[in-house]
Amino acid sequence: GKISGLVSVHFDYDSSTLTTESRRQLAANADWIKSNKATVQVEGHCDNRGSGEYNLALGERRAKAVKNYLVSLGLDSKRMTIISYGEEKPIAMGDSEEAYAKNRR
């Protein structure tokens, strides 16, 4: 879901590696989570390329990468859960690179 004060980070195609920009965004998210004493669910999403099984696994790796980075910034891992939706909850429809990029989050 969309929570005011938090931003989604995006991933390159077929990757669960955080970019420099993603790390910057996650640092801001970590500050917000700390100041609001929030518990969060970290979701992993993919574009619709690849099999359903593959995308669920990739979404899980993405969610774990985000959670691990937030933990490295001082957040308690017990305040975060992860879930992978794979390609099941797109925010952009279509088969364009623009749509694919929006869904890799």
Side-chain angles (χ1 to χ4, degrees):
K2 187 84 171 143
I3 298 173
S4 181
L6 296 177
V7 297
S8 294
V9 297
H10 292 86
F11 291 86
D12 291 332
Y13 174 69
D14 197 27
S15 175
S16 58
T17 302
L18 296 170
T19 65
T20 301
E21 177 64 11
S22 293
R23 290 174 188 269
R24 185 191 64 72
Q25 292 170 317
L26 288 172
N29 284 353
D31 290 342
W32 186 93
I33 294 166
K34 287 175 189 174
S35 67
N36 287 281
K37 297 178 176 45
T39 299
V40 296
Q41 177 174 284
V42 180
E43 301 176 355
H45 299 270
C46 302
D47 61 38
N48 63 0
R49 297 175 287 183
S51 71
E53 269 184 14
Y54 181 83
N55 285 336
L56 281 173
L58 178 58
E60 184 170 344
R61 289 192 305 273
R62 288 174 174 171
K64 284 181 179 178
V66 168
K67 180 180 177 180
N68 290 340
Y69 188 68
L70 291 172
V71 168
S72 79
L73 296 175
L75 289 178
D76 184 351
S77 66
K78 294 175 186 165
R79 292 174 52 195
M80 293 177 277
T81 59
I82 64 166
I83 189 166
S84 174
Y85 287 108
E87 63 190 70
E88 298 304 315
K89 292 192 173 191
I91 57 171
M93 302 307 286
D95 292 321
S96 67
E97 185 52 44
E98 182 180 350
Y100 295 148
K102 289 179 180 178
N103 292 324
R104 294 190 305 258
R105 61 198 198 283

